[in-house]
Amino acid sequence: MYVFSGKEEFKQAFSERLETKLGKNMETATEDDAYRALGSLLQDKINKNWMQTNQEYKKNKQKQVYYFSMEFLIGRLIGNNLLNLQVLQTVKEGLQDLGLSLSILEERENDAGLGNGGLGRLAACFLDSLATLGLAGHGYGLRYKYGMFHQQLLDGQQMELPDDWLAQEYVWEVRRPEETIEVRFGGHVYPIEDSLGALSFDHSDYEQLKAVPYDVPVVGYNNETVNTLRLWSAEPSVDDTLVKASLEDHYGNFLDHRRSLTSITEYLYPDDSNEEGKELRLKQEYFLVSSGVQSAVRSFEGLELPMSTFSNQVALHINDTHPALVIPELMRVLMDEKGIGWDEAWDLTQRSVSYTNHTTLSEALESWPVDLVRRLLPRIFMIIVEINERFCQSLWKIYPGDFDRIATLAIVADGQVKMAHLAIVGSHSVNGVAQLHTDILKRREMKNFYRTFPNRFNNKTNGITHRRWLMYSNQRLSKTITEAIGEEWIKKPDCLQKLLLQQDDAALLDQLYDIKQQNKEELAVWVKKTDGITIDSSSIFDVHIKRLHGYKRQLLNAMHIMYLYNQIKLNRSFTIKPRTFFFAAKAAPSYHYAKKVIKLIDRIAAVVNNDSDVNDQLKVVFLPNYSVSTAERIIPATNVSEQISLASKEASGTGNMKLMMNGAVTLGTMDGANVEIHELVGDANIYTFGLSAEEVHQFDHNGSYSSRGIYESDHRIRFLLDQLILFSPFSKGDNVFEEIYHALLTHNDEFFVLKDFASYVAAQQKINRDYPFKRQWSKKSLINIAHSGTFSSDRTIQQYADDIWKIKPATI
Ligand code: 26V
């Protein structure tokens, strides 16, 4: 896309924009003004191609993919847009000439945290790849007024503060009131039969509200494509004056009622591990689904094609089960609004919808009480019941008399609507997010469904966009890679493998080492500035960044640090290569145990960092408020990537991919995509440890694990656990860590922390021995970078496009 011919043209346009948009000049403009002027200037350039992209799609009757997701963790856009428009360098230099720093202006943008973690960030990476590959794929999400909470630590206690990201005008969004959709909740549905015996449904007494879209452009890299991320916002409907009457004209009641309706898009649910069954969450889900489906149908109708071709023109993808109501909602629109019969509507629905599963953790599996669904969504409920009836009847034909099997597969059972069952039955494709995860779905979690629909199941190993996570966030490394192998890797990330030819090139290895060193120094400066902690940038940077969860085992890492501390304190001859352990993690606000682990890490940091016997060898840093923009700072500076989940629990992981791509070496279990990383880089370039998924399964199955047995036989572990509850530098004699102690001992250590401790320590010792051999370490780093192209989301999206959505690039 043509943006600026060079920095002079940019400077001219920028100064003009300051004047025309903000009435400021270089003397009077604040940093905020400058950011705003830059954003608005880019938005203008993007708009032209945005419009053109939409027109081309329509003219060519291009099949459209709508990616429905409750979360899009997009982070800041300015740097990414400059990169994709290929003017990052021009603008950086132009601003410099004007006495401004791009990186300071970038900080003015609020980081759009409309997601919890991996699932939301994946959606954002996918949008980037769709646009870059020239594919007609768009995001449908919610415009939460408050995104992921802002985390602060007060004496190690996590505090959640509201993320008021829209407090300042968001430069990238465009409100499109003309595209508003009406969404209905509640009321009563009655069947009516006409004189010919045809059935229709009358829906009355419902509450109606407006879904107003705010569109955010998604700019492809070095092409003309601009797709759309459409975020829906709830607003009161004009029609609700009717409601006013039913509330007996009481003005206060009326306004309360209005507020409660529009609260649907107030905030993002900050828990990604525990299904709470909150009514407001179900309302959010249906609000997204109903707006999205109606809007997709409306666009389809603009093509003036027969309804029977819907599934040739439209693919609806659901990111986990959260938008699974897409299935009955599309059935409703096709039947009740377009007059199509059940069988044809069902056929079109199944052909359009595809579903990705992101977890096998039973606590996170969604199911909704039948009573709630019936009350909130009466027509949708009727359709779900009918889908279930027909499905169970079809099962009866395959498995006559097998009540038990049919009961385990039913969509509605035990007073609950099971969303995963609905998603599998109503779609043509179900995929897991890494090979191991897909195998577990097929062999265990969804075994009966897999037997019934073997062709529906497939794997799509996750990916990350190498544009944001390498080209943008690690510009030094990108430059060196291009100097070494040319720039083909940018369009074809698999070409990073060319680096393998130079794996013994001493100069290149030294250069990689230096780049890492510079990135570490930069991070150290930032940590000093923001948290006041001094770190040794020549120490090993060991990084554990992800949501805080029992299965991710931040506790295992923390206990190892306690162990090192004890060793150094008690054993004069024990030394280690200096190491800085970084953590960043948000805990779900109601996840008590997770908050205790944060507290423990904070306590360990306080002890270790202030003890002069150890703090030349050991430092611990907990970086608060983990977000996309902090990840962008930490990842380029990492030596060791901690991916230590209990095998079988982490569906894929994507941080593992980002870190590998930036030359970190993985310390990991054989879980999720770590398995695939290991396969690619080989034993010499990854540190693996711990139980296998199969071993974990066997223990869970036969119940033979005893954490107490380990406590009794391993004195190191006994010592550590006692330090949690008896007087020690960590416990300080109070009972704050009793909960952790009991989880490990009384409740038999659900996540096998004690079981994997010994092999984790051994792997860490190996790292301690290997790191000082600079060239060899750099070679491991190079081999990781070289194989990381496989994990570009361009590869992932190409596979979705070919195998699931059946779409080809458009020519814009
Ligand atoms: C679940 C729930 C349930 C309660 C309500 C709010 C809520 C929000 C999100 C979730 C989804 C949890 C699943 C998830 O995030 N899975 C992660 O997906 C990543 C992308 O595929 C994958 O890399 C991670 O391994 C997986 O944990």
Side-chain angles (χ1 to χ4, degrees):
M1 186 189 308
Y2 174 79
V3 187
F4 309 112
S5 61
K7 69 176 178 177
E8 294 310 322
E9 188 186 331
F10 162 71
K11 279 153 60 181
Q12 178 72 26
F14 175 78
S15 309
E16 267 173 37
R17 185 55 55 106
L18 260 183
E19 259 178 59
T20 52
K21 184 171 163 81
L22 297 148
K24 294 279 185 84
N25 59 27
M26 287 308 299
E27 274 74 63
T28 54
T30 63
E31 283 165 0
D32 225 51
D33 295 330
Y35 162 72
R36 247 148 252 291
L38 180 57
S40 122
L41 190 57
L42 290 179
Q43 183 71 301
D44 274 11
K45 302 282 175 184
I46 293 166
N47 272 340
K48 212 186 207 144
N49 279 53
W50 200 2
M51 206 171 63
Q52 213 171 314
T53 301
N54 285 326
Q55 283 168 354
E56 290 290 315
Y57 285 164
K58 190 167 176 191
K59 197 179 87 206
N60 303 339
K61 300 199 188 325
Q62 200 81 33
K63 183 172 182 179
Q64 305 288 308
V65 177
Y66 299 99
Y67 194 86
F68 283 76
S69 178
M70 290 288 281
E71 308 189 9
F72 286 92
L73 190 46
I74 55 181
R76 292 184 177 134
L77 289 184
I78 194 142
N80 199 247
N81 284 346
L82 289 168
L83 176 81
N84 285 10
L85 295 169
Q86 297 193 290
V87 291
L88 185 57
Q89 205 51 35
T90 310
V91 166
K92 199 188 269 178
E93 287 166 15
L95 288 172
Q96 227 158 41
D97 285 1
L98 297 171
L100 292 166
S101 138
L102 175 60
S103 56
I104 290 176
L105 299 199
E106 288 185 80
E107 300 266 327
R108 307 312 306 171
E109 177 167 339
N110 287 327
D111 183 316
L114 307 183
N116 272 284
L119 168 140
R121 183 54 231 176
L122 185 76
C125 284
F126 280 4
L127 293 182
D128 184 69
S129 288
L130 281 162
T132 298
L133 297 178
L135 296 167
H138 313 280
Y140 275 148
L142 294 181
R143 183 178 180 267
Y144 301 108
K145 185 153 179 252
Y146 297 97
M148 187 61 195
F149 65 80
H150 184 98
Q151 179 195 52
Q152 258 184 24
L153 291 196
L154 235 172
D155 191 26
Q157 173 72 33
Q158 170 177 294
M159 310 289 250
E160 299 94 23
L161 303 173
D163 165 40
D164 197 0
W165 73 292
L166 291 169
Q168 295 95 269
E169 177 205 20
Y170 186 56
V171 301
W172 306 111
E173 68 182 6
V174 180
R175 179 182 159 92
R176 300 217 189 272
E178 73 283 7
E179 302 279 329
T180 296
I181 300 279
E182 300 283 343
V183 179
R184 295 173 177 183
F185 289 97
H188 302 281
V189 176
Y190 302 101
I192 2 178
E193 216 177 308
D194 70 8
S195 55
L196 298 167
L199 216 53
S200 64
F201 293 87
D202 179 59
H203 192 178
S204 55
D205 313 327
Y206 50 79
E207 293 172 334
Q208 180 157 297
L209 61 150
K210 287 200 294 192
V212 182
Y214 287 71
D215 287 354
V216 178
V218 182
V219 180
Y221 178 82
N222 189 20
N223 66 14
E224 307 295 315
T225 303
V226 181
N227 288 334
T228 302
L229 167 58
R230 174 161 283 190
L231 300 174
W232 299 95
S233 179
E235 291 185 13
S237 178
V238 242
D239 247 25
D240 68 1
T241 37
L242 297 172
V243 178
K244 189 175 175 194
S246 73
L247 290 170
E248 295 166 4
D249 267 350
H250 190 293
Y251 184 64
N253 286 351
F254 171 62
L255 287 185
D256 283 351
H257 179 76
R258 256 189 155 188
R259 190 169 317 121
S260 83
L261 278 181
T262 53
S263 71
I264 288 182
T265 49
E266 265 302 285
Y267 76 100
L268 165 79
Y269 273 83
D271 192 333
D272 64 347
S273 49
N274 223 327
E275 172 53 33
E276 277 187 89
K278 287 267 187 345
E279 178 167 338
L280 184 59
R281 168 80 182 180
L282 181 61
K283 282 188 173 173
Q284 289 186 334
E285 294 183 354
Y286 182 67
F287 182 76
L288 165 66
V289 156
S290 184
S291 338
V293 167
Q294 292 186 63
S295 149
V297 169
R298 191 189 276 172
S299 295
F300 167 77
E301 288 181 318
L303 302 175
E304 302 183 325
L305 292 170
M307 216 57 207
S308 58
T309 65
F310 183 77
S311 59
N312 303 333
Q313 295 298 325
V314 180
L316 307 175
H317 195 88
I318 57 176
N319 197 21
D320 216 296
T321 58
H322 318 144
L325 293 174
V326 155
I327 292 158
E329 175 67 2
L330 181 58
M331 288 296 286
R332 181 188 71 78
V333 172
L334 293 176
M335 296 189 302
D336 297 1
E337 291 178 13
K338 308 298 163 198
I340 293 174
W342 180 281
D343 290 334
E344 192 187 356
W346 183 244
D347 185 55
L348 292 174
T349 299
Q350 271 192 322
R351 284 176 194 275
S352 317
V353 178
S354 47
Y355 153 59
T356 300
N357 172 284
H358 294 270
T359 184
T360 54
L361 295 185
S362 54
E363 324 77 278
L365 288 185
E366 279 194 303
S367 63
W368 292 102
V370 158
D371 295 335
L372 176 62
V373 182
R374 189 193 291 122
R375 175 164 59 76
L376 217 58
L377 309 166
R379 179 61 182 135
I380 292 301
F381 180 69
M382 289 169 78
I383 294 171
I384 293 173
V385 167
E386 184 66 23
I387 293 172
N388 184 50
E389 283 293 316
R390 290 174 186 239
F391 173 56
C392 290
Q393 270 167 29
S394 74
L395 288 174
W396 187 260
K397 287 192 193 124
I398 318 174
Y399 312 112
D402 194 346
F403 289 98
D404 288 347
R405 186 195 298 261
I406 296 174
T408 61
L409 293 171
I411 298 166
V412 186
D414 314 317
Q416 301 276 321
V417 178
K418 299 182 175 175
M419 302 298 266
H421 296 199
L422 176 62
I424 300 168
V425 173
S427 63
H428 66 277
S429 169
V430 178
N431 75 278
V433 290
Q435 195 56 60
L436 175 69
H437 170 60
T438 301
D439 290 343
I440 291 172
L441 290 179
K442 288 187 190 174
R443 275 211 301 269
R444 287 197 252 288
E445 247 49 52
M446 297 180 170
K447 160 178 92 197
N448 283 327
F449 281 107
Y450 177 54
R451 276 190 201 148
T452 313
F453 311 117
N455 300 327
R456 214 167 276 190
F457 285 76
N458 64 93
N459 177 249
K460 294 287 168 282
T461 297
N462 281 167
I464 55 162
T465 167
H466 62 286
R467 286 167 291 278
R468 180 181 288 264
W469 296 108
L470 176 54
M471 295 169 68
Y472 169 70
S473 61
N474 199 344
Q475 291 171 33
R476 289 190 186 97
L477 180 56
S478 301
K479 186 159 168 272
T480 295
I481 293 172
T482 299
E483 282 162 10
I485 61 171
E487 55 180 23
E488 208 186 349
W489 66 276
I490 292 174
K491 275 276 166 186
K492 296 197 189 120
D494 254 333
C495 292
L496 286 169
Q497 283 196 50
K498 287 187 189 164
L499 286 168
L500 293 174
L501 300 171
Q502 296 173 54
Q503 58 181 286
D504 294 309
D505 179 332
L508 179 60
L509 294 177
D510 291 349
Q511 215 179 334
L512 289 181
Y513 198 94
D514 290 345
I515 289 167
K516 186 63 82 180
Q517 202 47 45
Q518 289 171 43
N519 292 341
K520 287 164 72 175
E521 277 156 25
E522 226 170 66
L523 178 62
V525 168
W526 183 73
V527 170
K528 178 79 194 171
K529 200 174 81 192
T530 53
D531 297 286
I533 304 173
T534 308
I535 49 186
D536 168 9
S537 55
S538 69
S539 64
I540 305 172
F541 279 23
D542 182 313
V543 167
H544 202 165
I545 46 174
K546 49 188 81 252
R547 283 302 285 262
L548 213 138
H549 199 289
Y551 83 81
K552 296 181 188 278
R553 300 199 295 192
Q554 281 92 350
L555 180 60
L556 177 57
N557 186 345
M559 284 174 58
H560 171 246
I561 302 171
M562 288 168 64
Y563 164 76
L564 291 177
Y565 172 84
N566 293 332
Q567 289 292 90
I568 299 171
K569 287 294 274 187
L570 302 172
N571 182 350
R572 291 233 158 263
S573 64
F574 184 93
T575 59
I576 58 164
K577 184 85 192 119
R579 194 136 10 160
T580 306
F581 290 94
F582 292 88
F583 291 88
K586 286 178 181 173
S590 59
Y591 194 171
H592 206 256
Y593 167 87
K595 289 183 158 178
K596 281 283 152 96
V597 175
I598 293 181
K599 174 111 193 160
L600 177 61
I601 296 169
D602 184 77
R603 187 66 68 80
I604 295 170
V607 172
V608 167
N609 299 351
N610 295 307
D611 186 331
S612 57
D613 291 350
V614 302
N615 68 11
D616 54 342
Q617 298 180 61
L618 259 188
K619 274 274 161 69
V620 180
V621 181
F622 188 99
L623 294 167
N625 199 38
Y626 185 50
S627 57
V628 172
S629 34
T630 37
E632 287 166 2
R633 291 183 185 278
I634 302 167
I635 291 170
T638 300
N639 297 124
V640 177
S641 158
E642 300 262 2
Q643 307 300 334
I644 63 177
S645 55
L646 174 64
S648 77
K649 302 294 179 193
E650 190 70 274
S652 161
T654 44
N656 47 1
M657 302 169 182
K658 293 164 197 162
L659 286 154
M660 163 197 202
M661 192 175 272
N662 282 271
V665 180
T666 304
L667 164 56
T669 47
M670 284 303 199
D671 199 14
N674 297 352
V675 176
E676 288 158 70
I677 294 177
H678 172 246
E679 228 164 63
L680 287 166
V681 303
D683 281 332
N685 303 297
I686 186 169
Y687 296 85
T688 61
F689 73 97
L691 293 171
S692 68
E694 187 50 38
E695 287 165 338
V696 172
H697 176 71
Q698 286 310 325
F699 274 122
D700 282 342
H701 194 70
N702 60 33
S704 64
Y705 177 52
S706 157
S707 61
R708 191 162 288 277
I710 297 183
Y711 172 83
E712 273 153 15
S713 62
D714 188 333
H715 65 277
R716 296 174 306 186
I717 285 181
R718 203 162 48 232
F719 192 84
L720 288 173
L721 290 204
D722 291 348
Q723 281 188 314
L724 290 178
I725 51 158
L726 304 178
F727 190 88
S728 78
F730 305 107
S731 73
K732 294 205 268 185
D734 57 32
N735 59 4
V736 269
F737 301 126
E738 258 178 19
E739 185 178 350
I740 296 177
Y741 177 88
H742 286 301
L744 291 173
L745 273 187
T746 321
H747 305 297
N748 203 29
D749 183 18
E750 188 184 349
F751 301 109
F752 297 83
V753 173
L754 305 190
K755 181 77 190 166
D756 277 350
F757 185 76
S759 69
Y760 180 67
V761 172
Q764 285 285 25
Q765 283 166 348
K766 216 163 153 218
I767 289 174
N768 186 57
R769 285 194 299 271
D770 290 353
Y771 184 77
F773 299 94
K774 275 187 171 187
R775 289 247 169 89
Q776 269 135 291
W777 186 269
S778 272
K779 181 170 171 177
K780 291 182 202 297
S781 188
L782 176 144
I783 291 173
N784 273 276
I785 300 166
H787 286 291
S788 69
T790 311
F791 299 112
S792 165
S793 44
D794 291 0
R795 185 268 309 149
T796 314
I797 282 298
Q798 194 59 57
Q799 292 175 334
Y800 276 89
D802 294 340
D803 306 344
I804 302 179
W805 302 326
K806 316 279 185 205
I807 50 165
K808 292 235 166 346
T811 41
I812 309 289

